[in-house]
Amino acid sequence: MSVAGSEINHAARALGRGELVAFATETVYGLGADARSDRAVARIFAAKARPRFNPLIVHVADLAAARQLGVFNDTALLLADALWPGALSLVVPKRQDAGLCALATAGLDTVALRVPAHETAQRLLNAAKMPVAAPSANPSGRLSPTSAAHVRDALADKVAVILDGGEAAIGVESTIIACESDPPRLLRAGGIARSDISAILGYQIGDGEADPAKPGAPGQLASHYAPRARLRLDALTAGAGEALLAFGRDAPAANGPARNLSPAGDLNEAAANLFRHLHDLDATGVSVIAVMPVPDSGLGEAINDRLRRAAAPREARGGSPKA
Ligand code: TXA
Ligand code: MG
């Protein structure tokens, strides 16, 4: 799906005025604002009802633009060369002269940078000629949007423009790697599998330590990506009154609403379908979604991470909703 050039220019001008623009990326839809403007970025937090301590990913068109904002060591350059544009965000030291507003990075001295591959995102970034801070375009704590319709349903009155680039092809958020320290650490499993990152590095990448004194990925709190319905994980069948989110060939027959993440058992297909199927099952009004087990290899790690967060007790969400 290709967006008209006039629509791209309209969106770029809206960003220039400090307004919000939702746009397609290959992972999930982003809710973008001018990353140089505290006023513009504050609108993101207001629209999402997101806590302000949570830093945002800053999107740029290419590595050259990224290097004006952050300091790239050899590891960061290796990963950027191999995987940008794509579903990868790199946390690097922020340059003194980056010109990013404090709110975009939540006052940290590091910045998360991403060069998305999606044609719509690329055209917007090239037209806007500014760094664009963009979290996923969903109310904080809710399911991430993988289509323009998801954004319209949740945030229509809060955004100036929604750039519809079709269904997100990957369907889970970018993989986040912290490169400001050596060795690099995986902060969030996402659209690029851990094994692919490790293959490029030449060694197995480990997780960022859960040291509360270190920022890590502060948005990674237990309950996140939650549908209204409760999730029952590791289910083999759906009980009475439950919806079924199946995976693979051996899905049981369902009496109620059901979706299969990938009848063929393909984890890339399952990631692409994850949020859409959860949105659809949630919209049926069931109170419980029974979820079949998904293998943890490849994109299965990101899928299981999102499922665990969606299933986490809502009490844990407390007074601090997540993004
Ligand atoms: O695929 C994606 O990454 C999407 C699309 C729109 O690009 N964006 C996205 O952004 O998922 P968001 O805001 O929902 O998630 C950003 C994550 C949060 O967990 C945040 O804490 C972490 O990135 N983060 C941002 N800046 C950071 C920093 N300087 N250090 C550590 N973590 C950071
Ligand atoms: Mg999000």
Side-chain angles (χ1 to χ4, degrees):
M1 183 179 307
S2 201
V3 178
S6 56
E7 184 80 349
I8 296 281
N9 292 335
H10 173 56
R13 282 194 301 273
L15 286 174
R17 288 191 301 269
E19 293 173 9
L20 300 184
V21 170
F23 61 99
T25 88
E26 68 276 23
T27 56
V28 301
Y29 274 67
L31 180 64
D34 181 349
R36 303 164 304 182
S37 161
D38 276 315
R39 272 187 48 173
V41 173
R43 288 186 169 176
I44 294 179
F45 292 99
K48 286 181 64 92
R50 184 181 207 184
R52 297 211 169 182
F53 53 73
N54 201 347
L56 304 176
I57 294 172
V58 176
H59 298 69
V60 288
D62 53 31
L63 176 58
R67 293 185 80 169
Q68 313 218 322
L69 305 175
V71 181
F72 281 64
N73 61 18
D74 289 348
T75 304
L77 281 177
L78 177 70
L79 292 172
D81 275 335
L83 296 170
W84 275 353
L88 174 75
S89 296
L90 295 173
V91 175
V92 298
K94 187 169 69 178
R95 272 177 60 153
Q96 294 291 331
D97 59 352
L100 296 170
C101 68
L103 207 47
T105 57
L108 299 175
D109 54 12
T110 54
V111 57
L113 296 169
R114 174 168 176 221
V115 175
H118 195 289
E119 185 206 346
T120 304
Q122 275 289 328
R123 289 170 66 207
L124 176 66
L125 292 167
N126 278 301
K129 297 184 175 55
M130 66 173 78
V132 174
S136 49
N138 53 290
S140 192
R142 292 291 170 188
L143 291 172
S144 296
T146 56
S147 69
H150 290 160
V151 181
R152 225 174 281 125
D153 288 348
L155 296 173
D157 54 335
K158 308 221 162 65
V159 298
V161 186
I162 300 175
L163 293 177
D164 185 349
E167 293 274 342
I170 293 179
V172 290
E173 292 83 350
S174 61
T175 300
I176 305 180
I177 308 283
C179 288
E180 84 278 18
S181 59
D182 213 40
R185 303 167 292 141
L186 189 138
L187 298 184
R188 177 176 75 182
I192 294 172
R194 182 193 295 268
S195 52
D196 291 339
I197 307 274
S198 297
I200 290 160
L201 293 172
Y203 52 84
Q204 190 65 30
I205 187 167
D207 291 331
E209 72 273 31
D211 177 354
K214 298 234 172 97
Q220 296 305 94
L221 303 175
S223 170
H224 199 156
Y225 310 105
R228 270 164 246 283
R230 291 193 170 275
L231 260 57
R232 185 167 68 80
L233 301 186
D234 292 322
L236 296 179
T237 59
E242 293 182 342
L244 177 69
L245 184 62
F247 174 81
R249 286 178 225 287
D250 301 327
N255 297 316
R259 293 283 186 282
N260 194 324
L261 290 170
S262 171
D266 176 332
L267 289 164
N268 292 350
E269 183 186 25
N273 286 329
L274 177 68
F275 288 123
R276 184 159 53 91
H277 285 354
L278 283 171
H279 273 284
D280 289 352
L281 293 176
D282 210 23
T284 66
V286 291
S287 55
V288 178
I289 301 171
V291 185
M292 287 179 70
V294 174
D296 215 32
S297 55
L299 293 198
E301 184 179 4
I303 294 170
N304 284 322
D305 170 77
R306 304 304 185 272
L307 286 172
R308 271 193 304 275
R309 292 177 203 282
R314 301 303 155 84
E315 297 76 54
R317 303 170 75 186
S320 62
K322 328 308 168 314

